Amino acid sequence: MLFKQQALLRQKLFVLGSLAIGSLLYLVARVGSLDRLQPLCPIDGRFGSRGQDEIQLRALQFKRGLLHEFRKGNATKEQIRLHNLVQQLPKAIIIGVRKGGTRALLEMLNLHPAVVKASQEIHFFDNDENYAKGIEWYRKKMPFSYPHQITIEKSPAYFITEEVPERIYKMNSSIKLLIIVREPTTRAISDYTQVLEGKERKNKTYYKFEKLAIDPNTCEVNTKYKAVRTSIYTKHLERWLKYFPVEQFHIVDGDRLITEPLPELQLVEKFLNLPPRISQYNLYFNATRGFYCLRFNIVFNKCLAGSKGRIHPEVDTSVITKLRKFFHPFNQKFYQITGRTFNWP
Ligand code: A3P
């Protein structure tokens, strides 16, 4: 009898203990997210006067509690009506460059309470079939957001596709355009690595990078190879400049985003006229991944998928030297046009 009572007591204590630990964990988690719900500092002159570009802070403060569901596209009709949620055309687009770190940039910007990302690459402007479906089709692909949040999408193919600048201009001539670049030879090898992995997945063989990047007849850089062409940033940018002034572009240093993301993100916040809300707390280095990962609050964090940060194959140093020499004059022109200089060899 006594033994039974003791067992019952132990059971009760166990349940109470679990409840207490659960509540404690919940509170800790709440404090983490509440921390990010603190009222925001008033916008000062740095962000300009109230206007089209300004993000209403009222909207930001509500974001955290509800956004998780909206992002997943789960907003119910009731929620949409209650919170005046809308699907908005993007105010900023990450137009490229493929393998520059476009996904990392989008995900990191999405840490900002005023930013809502379109998760998928929409390929509206570079794909004729999609483009023919019209702007309403594009808008319907956007996530739900508060009217004063900004939507950002990324489709790296936009940067190199001929028709895209004019098409985006027709949608919104004052849109903000983000380009993330890496040292051109590294980017080209990263591009090659992605294609190589795709071939390997299908059990196909593929050429070595050296064979593709160098023309065997001339022994010069093969400018017909897409991975090389994409890295001639200035050539593509010049096409964009026929439609948009240089001030409408912001160049992100993709190499620095890997090693030191916060200052790069702060520059983007400024460019987008957003109050500075992304902090070191939101970014932590994950030694296993070898990259920075994202921390939303004390319980919710994530690293990018394993397809980001592949190991590159070793490339013949003479080929690397040749490529770097080839890109050099284009890089100089790129620095000159954009006003952003990199230490690329
Ligand atoms: P590698 O796979 O060559 O390392 P994109 O998203 O445009 O395809 O770019 C992919 C690149 O983003 C990766 O190239 C990787 O180096 C870079 N990157 C930058 N920040 C990263 C991060 N925090 N986690 C993973 N990859 C990141």
Side-chain angles (χ1 to χ4, degrees):
M1 182 72 178
L2 188 67
F3 179 73
K4 220 172 174 183
Q5 269 178 343
Q6 273 178 343
L8 209 65
L9 194 66
R10 260 203 304 275
Q11 217 169 8
K12 275 184 185 168
L13 278 174
F14 176 75
V15 171
L16 280 174
S18 308
L19 277 174
I21 291 170
S23 310
L24 193 69
L25 279 175
Y26 172 76
L27 273 175
V28 172
R30 284 284 291 165
V31 169
S33 54
L34 281 176
D35 190 36
R36 293 177 49 73
L37 275 173
Q38 289 301 312
L40 297 162
C41 321
I43 287 186
D44 56 35
R46 191 148 54 95
F47 303 110
S49 56
R50 274 188 180 276
Q52 206 191 358
D53 279 347
E54 192 177 323
I55 311 298
Q56 277 193 5
L57 299 185
R58 182 176 52 82
L60 310 189
Q61 290 167 348
F62 287 109
K63 180 183 176 186
R64 288 244 64 82
L66 298 157
L67 201 62
H68 192 61
E69 278 171 83
F70 300 157
R71 279 200 187 126
K72 289 190 291 180
N74 278 346
T76 61
K77 280 193 180 139
E78 186 59 9
Q79 283 170 325
I80 294 165
R81 194 186 55 76
L82 245 149
H83 300 287
N84 294 324
L85 297 177
V86 276
Q87 285 170 295
Q88 309 187 71
L89 289 173
K91 288 247 167 60
I93 303 182
I94 301 170
I95 56 173
V97 178
R98 177 182 151 94
K99 306 321 292 173
T102 52
R103 174 56 61 185
L105 179 60
L106 182 71
E107 297 294 334
M108 287 174 181
L109 288 177
N110 191 52
L111 288 162
H112 196 290
V115 172
V116 183
K117 64 164 186 184
S119 294
Q120 306 294 321
E121 289 183 11
I122 304 192
H123 290 282
F124 176 62
F125 298 104
D126 63 307
N127 179 313
D128 290 343
E129 220 171 278
N130 287 344
Y131 191 64
K133 290 174 186 160
I135 203 81
E136 265 311 287
W137 178 88
Y138 183 51
R139 204 177 56 77
K140 288 268 163 63
K141 292 277 170 198
M142 296 298 158
F144 283 97
S145 61
Y146 291 103
H148 294 96
Q149 289 175 321
I150 59 166
T151 303
I152 300 188
E153 82 125 326
K154 77 118 180 162
S155 294
Y158 290 167
F159 186 59
I160 57 160
T161 309
E162 194 105 13
E163 299 80 11
V164 174
E166 186 180 358
R167 289 175 176 178
I168 294 188
Y169 182 85
K170 278 184 183 157
M171 175 187 73
N172 178 0
S173 61
S174 59
I175 196 156
K176 300 201 175 198
L177 302 163
L178 294 162
I179 308 175
I180 178 163
V181 290
R182 276 165 90 187
E183 189 277 306
T185 303
T186 312
R187 195 220 64 81
I189 298 171
S190 172
D191 198 330
Y192 165 82
T193 310
Q194 173 158 319
V195 178
L196 175 70
E197 196 184 281
K199 301 273 180 197
E200 280 173 352
R201 223 179 301 123
K202 292 179 195 155
N203 282 327
K204 287 185 178 169
T205 51
Y206 195 44
Y207 302 104
K208 285 190 83 178
F209 176 78
E210 291 84 339
K211 188 141 194 220
L212 295 165
I214 305 294
D215 183 332
N217 299 318
T218 62
C219 284
E220 294 301 323
V221 169
N222 178 10
T223 51
K224 290 198 184 96
Y225 179 38
K226 197 171 166 197
V228 166
R229 278 211 319 273
T230 303
S231 282
I232 310 176
Y233 305 139
T234 182
K235 286 272 176 231
H236 302 287
L237 184 60
E238 278 164 27
R239 272 187 301 103
W240 284 85
L241 290 171
K242 288 184 191 144
Y243 293 89
F244 298 97
V246 73
E247 299 75 41
Q248 255 166 265
F249 296 86
H250 176 75
I251 310 297
V252 179
D253 182 344
D255 295 308
R256 192 167 175 229
L257 194 83
I258 297 174
T259 56
E260 211 187 340
L262 188 59
E264 280 305 315
L265 295 169
Q266 287 170 333
L267 290 175
V268 181
E269 286 181 325
K270 224 174 205 174
F271 172 70
L272 297 177
N273 290 320
L274 296 170
R277 295 290 286 157
I278 303 172
S279 70
Q280 200 57 65
Y281 172 82
N282 300 125
L283 302 156
Y284 67 97
F285 188 75
N286 181 313
T288 319
R289 279 291 276 118
F291 284 98
Y292 275 88
C293 296
L294 286 63
R295 182 187 285 125
F296 289 83
N297 56 45
I298 202 164
V299 271
F300 182 52
N301 48 40
K302 71 167 188 181
C303 296
L304 262 59
S307 60
K308 304 292 172 187
R310 296 185 177 97
I311 294 168
H312 297 179
E314 224 167 274
V315 174
D316 190 291
T317 46
S318 69
V319 171
I320 291 189
T321 310
K322 203 167 256 188
L323 280 167
R324 289 191 166 153
K325 216 165 156 189
F326 169 81
F327 287 125
H328 186 79
F330 297 114
N331 296 343
Q332 297 301 313
K333 193 133 186 242
F334 185 70
Y335 304 158
Q336 205 184 344
I337 295 174
T338 60
R340 187 142 197 204
T341 307
F342 300 96
N343 289 324
W344 297 335

